[in-house]
């Protein structure tokens, strides 16, 4: 039992997404999310003031895992759920 | 009439017992105290004197006991001081015999070196006691309370700069036999960086610590891809150019194992530390890092550098783990020791201490 939980912890480490700000408009912004273990990029259109928690939950739902399994990074530093695209 | 001899015998008995006790005491007291007993006084007075005397004795004994205790404690203190002194002497001898690497951190050794007149604070030693200083009692208590079940869902630490939050259940990976988590490793690397910026005098090398995701983004997923990490090291983001660093640490996660790659810009070599494997090393890791360094310098400084002559060193004599769970801790300590400029003089037996110490440093958000 203990070994399986350990492996789970490890698989957590491997999953992480990169997010890039591509185009900026006045109220909305397009974010590209790229999972580490998938080739394609998923495009999201988000309001500038919305907390990224929503996006993270949506993305995780699409991948079928809990939202806090992923580590979201922008240029190598962590993004938290309480950040907004403006940050 | 029958009562009197009885009484007399009793008083005599008292007398005997008293004189016996008094033989232990000083003479002066005996002469004073003998008077009422020898005179055929009433029973009450003798008894009261007896009780007085007993009180006096207990007092005396108490006083003696305290005196003895004080003397013993003084002796102990002296012995401890002598022992410490001897240890210091040994240390300073050891230091003199070895002419290598890094300054002295411990105050006591510092004093000695100044009295020796053999140099200022930046004395080089092969061995420093600082990485092995024992924890204080309250620090151990703090660590233990952080490990407790009641804290498992609570967020114990949140690091503002890197936005890393560590809850109790994440921190529990620092308990013995547990596998280290990426958040703990990344936070500790941040702390090491802060230690260096806080005290640049103490560290000879300017270091850069990549986080655990760097190598994964660079090369793991779909082959080598510089574009994925191009924006990680901008001058505005770091505050310095990567190429200005003497040593660049790259933690590497291979499936279920932690290892360390080092770009040594000062000595022009790439190094690879693995706490588990003896001989088999994967050449793709250092090849990818060499390629990355060329691309990075080209992109940021618009210069071409040639790394084909740089050595690729797979360090085999590094300390090795004797079990299946300490790889992460070994990696962190490789980084810690190497960034201090110390030789890697630790072994498996230090790991429980290092786990405690790392936990303490993470809880206080300050690496020492």
């Amino acid at each position: 039992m203990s070994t399986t939980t350990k492996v789970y912890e490890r698989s957590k480490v491997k999953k992480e997404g990169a997010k890039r700000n591509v185009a900026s408009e006045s109220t909305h912004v397009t974010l590209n999310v790229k999972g580490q273990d998938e080739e394609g990029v998923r495009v999201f259109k988000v309001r500038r003031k919305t907390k990224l928690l929503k996006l993270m939950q949506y993305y995780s739902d699409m991948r079928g895992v809990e939202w806090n399994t992923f580590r979201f990074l922008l240029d190598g530093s962590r993004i938290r759920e309480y950040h907004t695209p403006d940050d | 009439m029958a009562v009197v001899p009885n009484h007399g015998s009793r008083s005599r008995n008292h007398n005997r017992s008293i004189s016996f006790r008094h033989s232990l005491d000083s003479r002066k007291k005996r002469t004073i105290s003998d008077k009422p007993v020898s005179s055929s006084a009433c029973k009450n007075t003798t008894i009261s004197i007896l009780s007085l005397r007993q009180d006096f004795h207990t007092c005396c004994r108490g006083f003696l006991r305290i005196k003895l205790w004080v003397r013993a404690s003084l002796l102990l203190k002296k012995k401890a001081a002598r022992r410490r002194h001897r240890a210091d002497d040994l240390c300073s001898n050891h230091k003199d015999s070895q002419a290598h690497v890094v300054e002295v951190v411990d105050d006591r050794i510092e004093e000695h070196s100044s009295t020796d007149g053999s140099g200022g604070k930046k004395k080089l030693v092969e061995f420093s006691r600082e990485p092995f200083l024992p924890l204080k009692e309250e620090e151990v208590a703090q660590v233990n309370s952080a490990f407790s079940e009641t804290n498992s869902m609570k967020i114990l630490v949140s690091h503002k700069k890197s936005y890393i939050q560590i809850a109790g259940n994440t921190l529990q990976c620092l308990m013995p036999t547990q596998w280290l988590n990426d958040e703990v490793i990344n936070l500790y690397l941040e702390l090491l960086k802060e230690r260096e910026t806080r005290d640049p005098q103490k560290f000879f090398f300017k270091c850069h610590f990549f986080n655990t995701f760097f190598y994964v983004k660079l090369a793991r997923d779909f082959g080598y891809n510089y574009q994925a990490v191009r924006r990680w090291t901008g001058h505005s983001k770091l505050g310095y150019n990567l190429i200005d660093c003497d040593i660049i640490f790259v933690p590497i996660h291979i499936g279920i194992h932690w290892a360390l790659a080092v770009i040594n810009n000062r000595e022009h070599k790439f190094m690879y530390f693995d706490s588990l494997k003896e001989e088999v090393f994967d050449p793709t890791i250092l090849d990818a890092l060499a390629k990355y360094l060329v691309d990075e310098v080209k992109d940021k400084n618009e210069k071409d550098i040639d790394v084909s002559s740089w050595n690729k060193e797979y360090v085999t004599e590094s300390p090795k783990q004797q079990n299946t769970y300490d790889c992460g801790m070994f990696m962190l300590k490789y980084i810690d020791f190497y960034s201090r400029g110390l030789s890697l003089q630790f072994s498996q037996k230090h790991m429980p201490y290092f786990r405690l110490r790392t936990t303490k440093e993470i809880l206080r958000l300050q690496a020492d």
Side-chain angles (χ1 to χ4, degrees):
Chain A
M1 190 58 206
S2 62
T3 43
T4 50
T5 50
K6 273 176 191 170
V7 171
Y8 175 62
E9 283 291 319
R10 281 306 163 116
S11 70
K12 229 172 155 183
V13 175
K14 282 165 70 183
K15 280 173 189 163
E16 141 266 3
K19 196 176 297 177
R20 209 129 41 89
N21 187 343
V22 174
S24 57
E25 293 160 32
S26 54
T27 54
H28 284 72
V29 66
T30 318
L31 298 178
N32 291 356
V33 180
K34 187 182 170 304
Q36 182 190 307
D37 46 353
E38 56 174 6
E39 276 194 58
V41 176
R42 292 175 198 239
V43 185
F44 295 85
K45 234 180 167 189
V46 194
R47 236 174 286 149
R48 278 172 165 276
K49 301 271 183 222
T50 319
K51 281 187 182 169
L52 287 171
L53 174 66
K54 218 170 165 182
L55 186 149
M56 290 177 184
Q57 277 174 338
Y58 191 67
Y59 177 79
S60 311
D61 278 352
M62 281 175 13
R63 303 290 307 276
V65 285
E66 270 186 61
W67 74 271
N68 51 10
T69 316
F70 292 110
R71 314 264 194 263
F72 289 88
L73 303 177
L74 173 70
D75 294 345
S77 42
R78 281 291 292 276
I79 310 173
R80 301 304 302 205
E81 60 279 10
Y82 49 79
H83 286 147
T84 64
D86 271 351
D87 295 336
Chain B
M1 276 303 283
V3 181
V4 178
N6 236 349
H7 174 237
S9 69
R10 208 185 281 164
S11 71
R12 235 177 287 149
N13 275 344
H14 279 303
N15 202 357
R16 221 177 289 156
S17 68
I18 288 158
S19 62
F20 172 68
R21 257 191 222 148
H22 259 264
S23 63
L24 296 170
D25 216 327
S26 67
R27 261 181 209 173
K28 200 178 174 188
K29 277 167 207 156
R30 194 198 280 165
T31 51
I32 298 163
S33 54
D34 272 351
K35 264 183 204 166
V37 182
S38 57
S39 68
S40 56
C42 67
K43 188 179 162 189
N44 282 341
T45 47
T46 46
I47 284 172
S48 68
I49 285 161
L50 261 181
S51 63
L52 263 177
R53 203 170 289 150
Q54 268 170 350
D55 282 351
F56 175 72
H57 276 285
T58 47
C59 273
C60 256
R61 252 178 257 148
F63 173 71
L64 278 175
R65 228 174 275 157
I66 286 171
K67 203 175 168 187
L68 275 176
W69 176 76
V70 166
R71 199 180 288 168
S73 64
L74 273 174
L75 268 176
L76 271 179
K77 261 187 198 169
K78 267 185 197 168
K79 263 186 197 171
R82 228 177 284 157
R83 223 173 290 149
R84 224 178 290 149
H85 201 70
R86 231 174 275 157
D88 280 359
D89 278 347
L90 276 180
C91 260
S92 61
N93 285 343
H94 181 72
K95 209 172 31 169
D96 286 340
S97 64
Q98 288 173 330
H100 268 302
V101 196
V102 169
E103 80 282 8
V104 184
V105 193
D106 199 322
D107 303 335
R108 230 176 278 141
I109 306 178
E110 243 167 54
E111 279 170 25
H112 259 268
S113 67
S114 59
T115 49
D116 287 345
S118 51
K121 277 187 181 180
K122 276 209 170 181
K123 180 122 197 228
L124 307 181
V125 276
E126 182 84 357
F127 179 81
S128 170
R129 261 195 281 168
E130 210 281 329
F132 300 102
L133 285 185
L135 297 186
K136 288 178 199 138
E137 260 174 49
E138 69 257 25
E139 289 167 344
V140 175
Q142 190 189 14
V143 167
N144 285 335
S145 74
F147 282 153
S148 69
E149 278 301 312
T150 49
N151 275 331
S152 71
M153 296 314 283
K154 221 196 273 173
I155 289 172
L156 295 174
V157 180
S158 73
H159 189 248
K160 283 197 186 113
K161 212 177 127 208
S162 63
Y163 305 116
I164 294 176
Q165 291 178 340
I166 290 194
N169 51 1
T170 316
L171 196 74
Q172 279 171 12
C173 74
L174 279 165
M175 282 164 86
T177 75
Q178 298 294 309
W179 294 15
L180 290 206
N181 183 295
D182 66 312
E183 288 192 309
V184 167
I185 291 176
N186 285 333
L187 179 54
Y188 191 67
L189 295 179
E190 289 286 333
L191 297 182
L192 288 182
K193 183 70 206 167
E194 279 173 16
R195 174 179 78 178
E196 192 199 300
T197 44
R198 186 177 65 224
D199 218 349
Q201 306 296 315
K202 255 166 95 172
F203 298 93
F204 288 147
F205 308 121
K206 190 171 163 58
C207 302
H208 181 73
F209 307 91
F210 275 118
N211 63 22
T212 52
F213 305 116
F214 171 78
Y215 184 71
V216 181
K217 293 299 300 174
L218 176 73
R220 265 336 264 300
D221 26 351
F222 304 103
Y224 178 82
N225 181 11
Y226 175 68
Q227 289 305 315
V229 292
R230 187 178 67 84
R231 308 203 317 177
W232 283 41
T233 50
H235 189 278
S236 57
K237 195 171 157 64
L238 296 183
Y240 50 85
N241 279 325
L242 195 68
I243 196 65
D244 296 335
C245 294
D246 294 321
I247 299 172
I248 299 158
F249 294 99
V250 186
I252 286 172
H253 186 232
I254 323 156
I256 50 163
H257 181 55
W258 289 108
L260 173 71
V262 175
I263 303 174
N264 195 329
N265 193 16
R266 165 176 285 216
E267 293 168 30
H268 293 282
K269 63 182 178 188
F270 300 95
M271 295 164 89
Y272 186 78
F273 296 86
D274 193 316
S275 56
L276 199 59
K277 288 181 202 165
E278 285 294 328
E279 278 151 24
V280 191
F281 290 108
D282 187 5
T284 54
I285 293 170
L286 292 191
D287 288 345
L289 286 183
K291 220 167 158 187
Y292 167 75
L293 195 66
V294 174
D295 283 344
E296 170 74 12
V297 176
K298 204 178 196 172
D299 184 68
K300 302 275 158 35
N301 302 56
E302 293 167 352
K303 273 190 287 184
D304 280 319
I305 55 165
D306 182 28
V307 294
S308 57
S309 61
W310 290 30
N311 265 343
K312 292 198 174 80
E313 198 177 305
Y314 294 91
V315 183
T316 47
E317 60 269 23
S318 59
K320 297 276 186 247
Q321 63 188 102
Q322 314 289 321
N323 50 39
T324 53
Y325 43 78
D326 271 336
C327 55
M329 207 60 237
F330 267 91
M331 185 192 74
L332 285 184
K333 283 295 148 185
Y334 289 152
I335 299 177
D336 181 22
F337 275 63
Y338 206 91
S339 65
R340 288 173 194 263
L342 290 172
S343 59
L344 304 173
Q345 285 190 342
F346 56 91
S347 65
Q348 179 66 54
K349 68 170 196 253
H350 295 118
M351 286 303 135
Y353 162 72
F354 283 148
R355 278 175 184 266
L356 274 183
R357 183 179 166 132
T358 311
T359 317
K360 180 214 99 182
E361 286 171 345
I362 282 176
L363 284 174
R364 307 211 161 172
L365 281 177
Q366 178 172 330
D368 301 317

